[in-house]
Amino acid sequence: MKKFKFAVLIVLAFCAAGVFAQVENRDVPYTKVLFKLIEGYFNHEIDSREKAETLYVEAIESCPESYDEYMRETHLSRCDYYFGMYIMETYDLTQLEHALDDTSKEFVDPVEQNRRIKAEATKYFDSSIEHAKIAMNLRGENSPDAMTIYTQALSANCTARTVGYVLANGLKIAQYAKKALKVDPKNATACFSSAAQSVYAPGIFGNATKGRKKMLEFIADETLVKEKFDHFNFTCAVAYTYYRQNKFEEAKVWYKKCQDIFPENYAIKDLISKCDAKLNK
């Protein structure tokens, strides 16, 4: 289960009104400021809690006045999710061989430290879920981006909460991703959530070969609405399917491709080192 949680944790054009997206017809486009928070998280450019909090507040305030209530709630859900992910990355999963950043220095006992970090992160994941639920209630089935961020927040909570929470909520991730795809079949983030179980679920619940096939299809599909982090998540998923099958040469090749997208991501650096260690045995 710990390996599964670690894997999930890794797992992700300019328009008017200060909005960033690859295409104009996205359900709820990302604002430039929110995208700065997202990219900072993925590429580990946020070097202090203070900087992270500043970006988080600025991202919230960047919501365009033109957004209706549905779009605003979806935007707020994304802000909470990514700030929660920033907090969660300081959680020591033992597989990562890096120093925890300054947000953890106040704690001495690692067990207590991890408990507090997860507890804080889940507050933001819970808030993200609530904002997404409000958005979904406003539009019903016609709420693909709200349903998508809902799946992301649920997935994140599954990495931070108990096995009981995973059992109660884990299946909702693919269910809501598929609902989103019925309305918006080109939503790359929803595509990822719909197939992530095959890649990352442990034991008989996963299927690395099936998951890799789907992720490769998503990578090749140029019609999907993909943000930079979508490319990263697809690529990282392919790499992990090889890693879990002990195909470390292939895994390293794909983790290197992840570095082409976010070169400073320390989780990817760590996994490349692990591939090298396995290959040099």
Side-chain angles (χ1 to χ4, degrees):
M1 180 60 71
K2 184 175 284 187
K3 289 183 178 179
F4 168 57
K5 289 184 175 183
F6 169 63
V8 173
L9 179 61
I10 293 178
V11 322
L12 350 231
F14 290 94
C15 303
V19 164
F20 181 98
Q22 285 197 336
V23 295
E24 289 80 0
N25 63 348
R26 185 173 202 105
D27 186 27
V28 182
Y30 292 83
T31 67
K32 295 178 184 179
V33 180
L34 175 55
F35 204 80
K36 185 176 180 181
L37 171 64
I38 295 171
E39 184 138 335
Y41 159 70
F42 274 102
N43 204 38
H44 295 113
E45 297 168 347
I46 304 173
D47 55 10
S48 71
R49 175 59 180 260
E50 181 180 6
K51 183 176 181 180
E53 289 176 345
T54 298
L55 285 172
Y56 170 61
V57 172
E58 290 177 348
I60 290 173
E61 295 175 347
S62 72
C63 185
E65 292 183 5
S66 60
Y67 275 15
D68 61 19
E69 188 176 358
Y70 164 77
M71 298 174 79
R72 183 166 58 254
E73 290 295 334
T74 302
H75 172 80
L76 293 174
S77 180
R78 286 169 173 166
C79 292
D80 283 340
Y81 167 72
Y82 279 105
F83 189 64
M85 290 299 285
Y86 164 78
I87 294 169
M88 194 63 183
E89 76 175 11
T90 66
Y91 171 47
D92 183 10
L93 289 161
T94 71
Q95 289 94 339
L96 283 178
E97 299 169 354
H98 64 82
L100 298 179
D101 70 15
D102 65 76
T103 63
S104 65
K105 290 179 181 176
E106 63 182 281
F107 310 122
V108 177
D109 177 51
V111 175
E112 176 65 9
Q113 165 188 298
N114 292 342
R115 185 191 69 78
R116 292 191 189 188
I117 291 172
K118 289 195 292 183
E120 184 182 10
T122 56
K123 291 179 182 178
Y124 290 95
F125 298 148
D126 287 343
S127 179
S128 176
I129 288 169
E130 290 308 309
H131 283 299
K133 284 181 177 178
I134 293 172
M136 289 188 290
N137 286 335
L138 287 167
R139 281 200 190 172
E141 296 297 312
N142 188 28
S143 55
D145 274 354
M147 287 189 281
T148 299
I149 190 60
Y150 177 69
T151 68
Q152 291 175 277
L154 273 181
S155 179
N157 246 349
C158 286
T159 71
R161 292 189 178 275
T162 64
V163 173
Y165 183 93
V166 177
L167 294 175
N169 295 280
L171 292 178
K172 295 178 184 177
I173 297 169
Q175 289 171 357
Y176 274 85
K178 290 174 182 176
K179 284 185 178 182
L181 290 171
K182 283 183 179 180
V183 183
D184 182 10
K186 298 304 180 182
N187 188 317
T189 310
C191 287
F192 176 82
S193 293
S194 72
Q197 179 179 331
S198 294
V199 175
Y200 293 114
I204 61 172
F205 300 105
N207 185 325
T209 300
K210 177 182 176 182
R212 180 166 60 245
K213 182 175 182 292
K214 292 299 297 182
M215 295 298 172
L216 287 171
E217 289 175 359
F218 297 149
I219 290 171
D221 189 347
E222 295 182 357
T223 69
L224 293 183
V225 179
K226 300 175 188 174
E227 306 292 354
K228 188 175 180 180
F229 55 80
D230 291 315
H231 289 283
F232 179 83
N233 286 335
F234 292 147
T235 306
C236 189
V238 172
Y240 185 70
T241 62
Y242 284 121
Y243 191 93
R244 73 181 296 177
Q245 292 177 327
N246 297 324
K247 298 178 179 179
F248 302 112
E249 191 76 53
E250 294 91 338
K252 181 179 177 180
V253 169
W254 280 89
Y255 281 131
K256 285 285 190 182
K257 293 182 185 220
C258 293
Q259 280 193 313
D260 291 339
I261 303 170
F262 290 116
E264 299 305 318
N265 186 289
Y266 59 59
I268 297 303
K269 291 180 180 179
D270 181 79
L271 285 162
I272 290 173
S273 296
K274 283 180 168 56
C275 288
D276 285 336
K278 296 288 186 180
L279 291 168
N280 292 330
K281 277 188 175 181

